[in-house]
Amino acid sequence: MNVLGIETSCDETAAAVVSDGRLVRSSVVSSQIDLHARYGGVVPEIAGRAHVELLVPVVGEALAAAGTDRPDAVAATYGPGLIGSLLVGMSAAKALAMSWDVPFVGVNHLEGHLFAPVIEEPSLLWPLVVLLVSGGHTLLVLAKAPGRYRLLGQTLDDAAGEAFDKVARYLGLGYPGGPAIDRTAREGDPRAFSFPRALNDGSYDFSFSGLKTAVVRTAQRHPRAATCDLAASFQDAVVDVLVTKAARAVTDLGAKGLCLGGGVAANSLLRRRAPAAVDVPTYLPSMAMCTDNAAMIAAAGAWRLAHEGPSPLSLAADPNLFLTFDT
Ligand code: KG4
Ligand code: ZN
């Protein structure tokens, strides 16, 4: 069974064909980073228009690379994300499903990220603690099995990636901020500044807005501070909190594995520290599977289709969609 996945929730226009829920036959991602970089962040109107221009060629390339001109189902992200961007992918997915006369299934973008390890790790052990850290979300989730999740904690203010992006912008490192801080921090001393570790209190929640303010204040107070030292100390504080809480969750809940997901999971320090902090296997998605892509949407869509059936064509895009958690 071939599922065509479509992902347009933010600034990546992506399409992929996945067989039997996990075999990636093709995955095409067209990033709009160059279009948004000069504005220092994603401009929703520009993103929506670019999706309109890019989606047809991207879908065409994904189908051609997979060697199919009629998949068995079409899955598309229906939230959370930018409404104008979500609507482009949803409308295209529904139109294609109708014209091919195959089922359409709406996928929660966050559940898509949770399916990245399902694609890449054939021997996953459940339950898993998943640290999902992206530009829009910071969630610590207990994944008991595919489709069965318990929310352990989340950010109370900025998402981890948002903190990277905002601090990078302040330090003049450009957009997107995460990779820029990651690169710059390599030259810096992570012990140069001692930044706060918020909510160091036994909870699984996160808070990054105070940390961001602390970096700005420190930079103002020490105008000659090296940018690389500020970046390294900031990154150390973020990664320290993420890894400490994720590792504690693994121990407290007896998880059989730890999994990272979302764009911030591409961070080199996080990828080094997380496996060292736990004594269970750590699943580090490939770079392509950390950031937004449509293969994870197709995989999550295949699972939803098999377990819950297709979505109605009346399904609306929902920019504030939540993930449904077990109690
Ligand atoms: O998952 P994603 O591609 O899109 C969202 O759904 O948000 O994540 C993008 C986020 C951005 O905030 C970006 O700065 C961050 O992931 N990011 C990183 C790294 N690469 C991307 N953050 C830290 N270190 C990186 N190497
Ligand atoms: Zn994402």
Side-chain angles (χ1 to χ4, degrees):
M1 159 124 179
N2 287 329
V3 176
L4 169 68
I6 293 179
E7 156 63 37
T8 61
S9 65
C10 191
D11 62 341
E12 257 97 27
T13 313
V17 176
V18 171
S19 290
D20 303 325
R22 63 186 317 159
L23 182 68
V24 181
R25 305 268 304 267
S26 65
S27 181
V28 180
V29 180
S30 175
S31 171
Q32 304 175 8
I33 282 179
D34 294 348
L35 291 178
H36 301 283
R38 67 175 137 148
Y39 303 102
V42 177
V43 183
E45 289 78 6
I46 293 177
R49 216 173 308 137
H51 285 307
V52 171
E53 283 167 15
L54 293 166
L55 190 56
V56 170
V58 164
V59 167
E61 198 181 325
L63 292 173
T68 178
D69 50 14
R70 184 180 177 276
D72 304 297
V74 184
T77 304
Y78 75 106
L82 301 170
I83 185 67
S85 294
L86 290 166
L87 282 170
V88 177
M90 285 277 282
S91 313
K94 289 176 182 175
L96 288 169
M98 273 173 75
S99 69
W100 286 323
D101 194 22
V102 298
F104 159 77
V105 60
V107 172
N108 183 314
H109 179 83
L110 299 174
E111 183 164 43
H113 278 297
L114 296 177
F115 268 80
V118 174
I119 293 176
E120 292 196 325
E121 295 288 345
S123 55
L124 268 192
L125 297 172
W126 310 83
L128 274 173
V129 166
V130 186
L131 177 66
L132 184 48
V133 272
S134 71
H137 300 273
T138 301
L139 302 178
L140 197 58
V141 173
L142 181 70
K144 299 179 221 173
R148 292 200 48 216
Y149 315 113
R150 190 171 123 206
L151 179 64
L152 302 174
Q154 59 188 324
T155 183
L156 304 182
D157 40 58
D158 290 351
E162 192 180 352
F164 270 96
D165 293 336
K166 286 178 176 170
V167 167
R169 191 196 300 204
Y170 181 78
L171 296 177
L173 296 175
Y175 165 86
I181 289 201
D182 198 341
R183 266 193 315 275
T184 309
R186 276 177 213 153
E187 319 294 321
D189 176 4
R191 286 172 303 276
F193 300 99
S194 172
F195 288 130
R197 271 68 169 158
L199 299 176
N200 199 1
D201 58 358
S203 88
Y204 291 126
D205 287 328
F206 303 92
S207 165
F208 295 111
S209 128
L211 170 59
K212 177 191 65 195
T213 310
V215 176
V216 172
R217 292 245 170 86
T218 303
Q220 287 166 344
R221 243 183 276 131
H222 303 269
R224 283 203 295 278
T227 302
C228 60
D229 287 342
L230 289 164
S233 303
F234 161 76
Q235 177 175 265
D236 198 67
V238 176
V239 169
D240 188 18
V241 173
L242 293 175
V243 169
T244 303
K245 297 206 176 206
R248 183 156 47 76
V250 167
T251 310
D252 291 354
L253 299 158
K256 298 207 174 97
L258 170 64
C259 182
L260 306 185
V264 181
N267 183 265
S268 59
L269 184 66
L270 180 59
R271 294 172 83 88
R272 250 195 345 266
R273 290 257 180 96
V278 293
D279 51 13
V280 293
T282 306
Y283 304 110
L284 301 174
S286 64
M287 295 294 178
M289 218 29 101
C290 288
T291 45
D292 289 348
N293 66 86
M296 67 185 195
I297 302 303
W303 191 91
R304 286 276 151 209
L305 196 57
H307 291 83
E308 289 169 4
S311 306
L313 287 175
S314 57
L315 181 74
D318 181 352
N320 301 312
L321 185 66
F322 285 102
L323 196 56
T324 309
F325 294 107
D326 293 358
T327 47

